[in-house]
């Protein structure tokens, strides 16, 4: 059963001088529980695709359906709520808040829910245990290695138990050892039932996923 469906998705960025086609008539499905990688050269539309699926941007044309819900026409409040409960995001550059410690960074997505302070703390500790960072809860991002920062970012992404995890170059800033650790965590999450869409430039990492979707010049080529 498809949990993500793209039908003829096109994204065009326009200015007075130029028109840039970032995605051109892209269609494919992701099945519930899949772990897929998205590959292609820089500028081919990979991150734009992830932003479309993550409801951070809207297509110029075409349709995106997530878990049976057509996303077009959602108002801002509905879209924010849907994104917060359905989707988790992991970025190459971590996007942690340096003034907050690890525990507070991980709790952030739950601030938009009606959880109590105590429950938020419990849930944050649980996911930090899952990614092996329970001993770093009071540390700040500047006190962590790149691999540890990415594990914090994954903990933050999964604290709300999203059905879909969108990962944009999650190992791109890491050495091979740290990259392997992050992939191990992603595989564990996938085995627990999380659907994962991962953008990567790394053929080795792509081979570790169940399927690779390739792009070139905004078009899907396989």
């Amino acid at each position: 059963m498809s949990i993500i469906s793209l039908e003829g998705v096109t994204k065009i960025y326009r200015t007075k001088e130029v028109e840039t086609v970032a995605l051109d008539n892209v269609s494919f499905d992701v099945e519930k529980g899949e772990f897929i990688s998205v590959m292609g050269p820089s500028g081919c539309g990979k991150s734009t695709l992830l932003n479309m699926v993550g409801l951070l941007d809207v297509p110029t044309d075409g349709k995106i359906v997530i878990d049976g819900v057509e996303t077009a026409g959602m108002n801002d409040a509905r879209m924010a709520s849907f994104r917060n409960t359905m989707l988790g995001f992991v970025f190459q550059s971590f996007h942690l808040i340096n003034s907050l410690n690890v525990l507070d960074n991980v709790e952030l997505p739950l601030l938009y829910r009606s959880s109590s302070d105590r429950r938020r703390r419990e849930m944050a500790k649980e996911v930090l245990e899952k990614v092996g960072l329970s001993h770093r809860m009071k540390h700040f991002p500047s006190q962590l290695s790149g691999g540890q920062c990415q594990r914090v970012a994954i903990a933050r992404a999964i604290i709300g138990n999203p059905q879909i995890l969108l990962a944009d170059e999650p190992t791109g800033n890491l050495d091979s050892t740290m990259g392997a650790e992050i992939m191990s965590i992603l595989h564990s999450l996938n085995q627990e039932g999380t659907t994962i869409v991962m953008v990567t430039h790394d053929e080795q990492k792509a081979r570790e996923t169940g399927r690779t979707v390739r792009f070139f010049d905004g078009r899907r080529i396989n």
Side-chain angles (χ1 to χ4, degrees):
M1 180 179 122
S2 297
I3 193 168
I4 302 169
S5 180
L6 287 81
E7 299 178 20
V9 171
T10 295
K11 182 63 180 182
I12 301 173
Y13 295 101
R14 294 184 174 95
T15 67
K16 290 182 179 179
E17 294 80 22
V18 68
E19 177 178 283
T20 302
V21 180
L23 289 177
D24 186 5
N25 195 31
V26 172
S27 298
F28 70 94
D29 292 346
V30 180
E31 299 301 306
K32 189 176 179 65
E34 266 200 295
F35 186 171
I36 77 164
S37 52
V38 177
M39 293 199 73
S42 295
C44 72
K46 303 185 302 297
S47 294
T48 299
L49 172 75
L50 219 59
N51 287 340
M52 298 289 109
V53 175
L55 308 182
L56 299 174
D57 202 351
V58 295
T60 305
D61 197 9
K63 182 167 70 171
I64 298 175
V65 178
I66 299 177
D67 198 30
V69 178
E70 188 171 347
T71 58
M74 283 185 178
N75 61 34
D76 290 345
R78 169 67 174 137
M79 189 173 289
S81 174
F82 188 84
R83 189 189 301 121
N84 184 253
T85 56
M86 190 75 188
L87 304 167
F89 300 87
V90 180
F91 302 99
Q92 179 178 359
S93 55
F94 319 134
H95 291 319
L96 302 179
I97 297 176
N98 290 327
S99 60
L100 299 180
N101 66 28
V102 165
L103 192 64
D104 290 336
N105 265 285
V106 172
E107 280 187 38
L108 280 176
L110 297 184
L111 296 178
Y112 301 97
R113 302 190 187 184
S114 56
S115 307
S116 67
D117 290 349
R118 180 176 179 180
R119 180 57 183 149
R120 284 200 304 269
R121 291 273 145 161
E122 290 172 352
M123 292 173 70
K125 290 176 181 178
E126 287 170 9
V127 292
L128 284 168
E129 179 73 31
K130 181 177 286 190
V131 300
L133 280 180
S134 57
H135 62 300
R136 296 284 192 176
M137 289 188 295
K138 298 300 183 182
H139 286 70
F140 289 84
S142 61
Q143 298 172 304
L144 305 179
S145 68
Q148 289 171 332
C149 284
Q150 194 59 291
R151 281 190 275 166
V152 174
I154 291 173
R156 181 185 59 192
I158 65 173
I159 192 170
N161 295 312
Q163 293 189 47
I164 300 167
L165 187 64
L166 304 173
D168 195 355
E169 296 281 1
T171 63
N173 283 336
L174 308 177
D175 62 30
S176 59
T177 300
M178 290 295 100
E181 287 187 11
I182 295 305
M183 288 300 295
S184 178
I185 292 171
L186 294 178
H187 282 296
S188 294
L189 293 170
N190 180 240
Q191 289 164 11
E192 292 171 4
T194 305
T195 302
I196 301 177
V197 180
M198 178 182 74
V199 165
T200 183
H201 280 102
D202 190 325
E203 287 281 357
Q204 174 61 41
K205 298 294 187 296
R207 285 195 290 270
E208 294 181 34
T209 68
R211 177 165 61 108
T212 300
V213 179
R214 297 181 186 273
F215 282 78
F216 187 78
D217 285 350
R219 299 183 182 92
R220 183 185 172 188
I221 59 173
N222 75 332

